[in-house]
Amino acid sequence: MYENKISARQLRRMIFIETFGAGALSIPAFACYKEQNGFWSLIFYGVFLAGTIAFFIIFSGKISEENFENRKIGKTGLARNVNINVSKMQTRLKSINFPEVLPQPIKFVYMIRFFINAVALFYFFGKTIQTVYMPESSFLFIIFPAAILLCYSLYTTLQKRARFLEIIFPWIITTYFIAVILSFIGIEKAMQIGNAGELWQGILSDNIFRSMGNGYLMLLCSSPIEFLLFLRPAAEERGTETKNRKVEDKNNKEGKNNREGKDDKAIRDIITAVAGAILCNVLFCFLSVRTLGPTLTSQSEWPVIKMMQLIRMPGGFLERFDILPIIFWILCMMAVLSGYLYYGWSIFQTRSGGCLKNFLGITFVCLVLLTCVVEKHTLLWTFYLKYKAFVDFPLSLILPLVVWLFKRQKDFNYQEKT
């Protein structure tokens, strides 16, 4: 009954995991790209992300606006049916899911985009594990079990997926704070705090335009924020549907106030989750830059792992501290990857009108084969980075606008006919 509904707490935790997860290990490298100190990059990152969040909040609300269906109540005779009294009508809410309002061409574009992003992130996931921890293992051996787990997520429901992310959230946040605390303790001598004059001089030496570009690259790590289009309409307390049935006989004004209150709470939860993700990224950037310096931070693909490898605790306690950030990164990355596949699958279901049994096998084979192709041809990975910056992310902003215009025109035509 509530398989496509999630609670406010689940919404907040899902947004945090998906926003923070994909680029957690690499975002300090983007902040210091081209030997910038990272301060202005973080400022631009926060501004860009705030604007993107506002955009998706506005258009997710406009697209998922609830339809109102008038339903006649009480007994009606044959003669009384001619003139219907408005007071004897009641309003029934009909929620709109994002895939349901997509035109067929837009559905196809979303499916292609989500699948390309899933393949690219899956390659990055396997490459990180292979390079840092399993250099002697084959690439296929690393990604094969993960591909099975990801394909299983296609046949789950939004409520089950939300519960799973809700369960792993305490593990993610606990592991993160343990890693941060140990970083402060274990690399205290290696940290280059510097005085206020040196810090200010480093900030002034940054090129504003380069920092703006770095902020945009950091924003690309939070691109799953477009999942708001799917999550916000589903953000409804479990008892809401029952409560709506009990108060159906009340006037429309009370119903409107109730909806506005729930919508405001959902927006606050989204802002809270994104603010937490920004804070976690800023803390990682600060630790990386103060420990490795801007140059080494920008030269490493995973500066957080390199930073954690510098930790030395007395007595040889826990030799590999870099295992801590990789644990929560794996959980977050699997959440983001399963999100791309799940929402793409949801769109496919509305497009095909049903569930195809062979789609699971096709997705699994394509995911593994395409990832292996990307591994052998690194030029494809370079092409993806440009595609992400100049095609995919702009499309993520343009498509909701097109869908809203289409929905508005469709509603207008329906009102004219009725």
Side-chain angles (χ1 to χ4, degrees):
M1 186 176 182
Y2 301 108
E3 61 181 13
N4 292 321
K5 298 294 180 183
I6 58 177
S7 67
R9 184 174 67 175
Q10 289 171 338
L11 171 70
R12 184 170 59 249
R13 295 186 174 188
M14 291 175 75
I15 293 296
F16 173 84
I17 292 173
E18 292 166 347
T19 305
F20 172 64
L25 300 184
S26 301
I27 206 165
F30 291 126
C32 298
Y33 184 59
K34 295 183 179 178
E35 299 185 2
Q36 302 295 290
N37 285 277
F39 176 81
W40 292 114
S41 300
L42 290 171
I43 296 297
F44 284 114
Y45 164 65
V47 173
F48 292 158
L49 186 57
T52 307
I53 290 293
F55 175 87
F56 281 113
I57 286 178
I58 292 172
F59 279 95
S60 62
K62 289 182 178 295
I63 293 173
S64 63
E65 284 177 350
E66 294 166 321
N67 281 346
F68 295 93
E69 294 181 347
N70 288 329
R71 185 161 53 91
K72 193 165 50 178
I73 62 173
K75 295 182 179 180
T76 56
L78 294 176
R80 298 175 190 172
N81 245 355
V82 178
N83 295 319
I84 300 176
N85 190 354
V86 178
S87 62
K88 292 184 179 181
M89 305 292 290
Q90 66 178 169
T91 301
R92 181 173 58 184
L93 297 179
K94 182 182 178 182
S95 300
I96 299 178
N97 294 324
F98 183 67
E100 296 175 357
V101 298
L102 295 178
Q104 291 297 333
I106 302 298
K107 289 182 180 180
F108 183 75
V109 174
Y110 266 108
M111 286 191 297
I112 296 298
R113 283 186 56 240
F114 285 179
F115 190 71
I116 291 176
N117 287 327
V119 170
L121 288 179
F122 196 47
Y123 161 78
F124 183 69
F125 169 81
K127 194 65 177 176
T128 302
I129 301 299
Q130 184 186 45
T131 303
V132 180
Y133 295 103
M134 304 173 67
E136 298 180 358
S137 301
S138 66
F139 195 72
L140 183 61
F141 174 79
I142 295 173
I143 66 174
F144 192 82
I148 297 177
L149 179 62
L150 289 175
C151 290
Y152 172 75
S153 67
L154 296 176
Y155 284 101
T156 187
T157 62
L158 182 61
Q159 179 58 232
K160 290 180 180 178
R161 185 171 182 273
R163 286 177 179 174
F164 173 73
L165 296 186
E166 188 179 20
I167 291 172
I168 68 173
F169 175 80
W171 297 93
I172 293 173
I173 202 69
T174 302
T175 309
Y176 170 81
F177 279 112
I178 291 175
V180 169
I181 292 172
L182 290 177
S183 299
F184 275 110
I185 296 175
I187 56 180
E188 180 182 1
K189 295 180 180 179
M191 291 187 68
Q192 307 166 5
I193 299 298
N195 55 44
E198 292 176 351
L199 293 176
W200 185 247
Q201 185 178 2
I203 292 173
L204 292 179
S205 65
D206 282 351
N207 185 292
I208 297 298
F209 294 102
R210 287 182 181 177
S211 298
M212 188 180 298
N214 294 351
Y216 179 67
L217 293 176
M218 297 170 68
L219 177 66
L220 297 180
C221 296
S222 306
S223 59
I225 201 66
E226 65 178 315
F227 290 169
L228 274 175
L229 298 169
F230 301 87
L231 292 176
R232 187 183 171 193
E236 191 171 325
E237 296 294 341
R238 294 185 181 181
T240 301
E241 210 171 294
T242 305
K243 293 177 183 178
N244 284 341
R245 286 197 300 269
K246 291 181 179 179
V247 299
E248 274 183 337
D249 56 337
K250 293 186 178 181
N251 57 43
N252 296 336
K253 185 176 180 180
E254 292 180 358
K256 182 178 180 180
N257 292 335
N258 186 28
R259 288 190 305 276
E260 289 178 351
K262 289 186 295 183
D263 192 57
D264 292 341
K265 189 177 187 307
I267 293 175
R268 289 196 299 269
D269 290 330
I270 293 170
I271 295 175
T272 302
V274 175
I278 293 177
L279 180 61
C280 291
N281 284 326
V282 169
L283 194 54
F284 262 166
C285 290
F286 171 78
L287 288 172
S288 299
V289 173
R290 292 297 98 197
T291 303
L292 304 175
T295 303
L296 290 179
T297 301
S298 63
Q299 291 175 353
S300 173
E301 294 183 42
W302 308 282
V304 175
I305 295 179
K306 184 179 289 293
M307 175 191 70
M308 297 298 292
Q309 289 174 344
L310 296 177
I311 297 178
R312 293 292 180 269
M313 299 293 286
F317 171 73
L318 192 61
E319 303 246 341
R320 295 297 298 269
F321 283 94
D322 53 325
I323 198 67
L324 295 173
I326 206 69
I327 288 175
F328 75 77
W329 177 79
I330 289 175
L331 294 174
C332 292
M333 182 63 79
M334 296 302 290
V336 174
L337 283 169
S338 64
Y340 276 120
L341 293 177
Y342 175 80
Y343 298 126
W345 169 245
S346 301
I347 295 173
F348 177 82
Q349 282 185 306
T350 59
R351 185 176 184 272
S352 63
C355 176
L356 297 181
K357 296 181 180 180
N358 295 329
F359 188 80
L360 178 64
I362 295 173
T363 302
F364 175 77
V365 173
C366 290
L367 196 63
V368 173
L369 290 180
L370 288 177
T371 306
C372 291
V373 168
V374 173
E375 187 224 356
K376 295 178 181 179
H377 300 82
T378 55
L379 183 63
L380 293 177
W381 175 250
T382 306
F383 172 77
Y384 169 75
L385 296 178
K386 295 182 179 179
Y387 157 81
K388 184 71 175 177
F390 300 107
V391 178
D392 184 75
F393 187 75
L395 276 178
S396 69
L397 301 178
I398 295 173
L399 292 178
L401 179 60
V402 175
V403 173
W404 174 67
L405 293 175
F406 174 81
K407 177 179 177 295
R408 187 178 181 185
Q409 182 64 32
K410 187 177 180 180
D411 292 344
F412 178 75
N413 294 337
Y414 176 78
Q415 291 176 3
E416 281 189 339
K417 291 180 182 178
T418 56

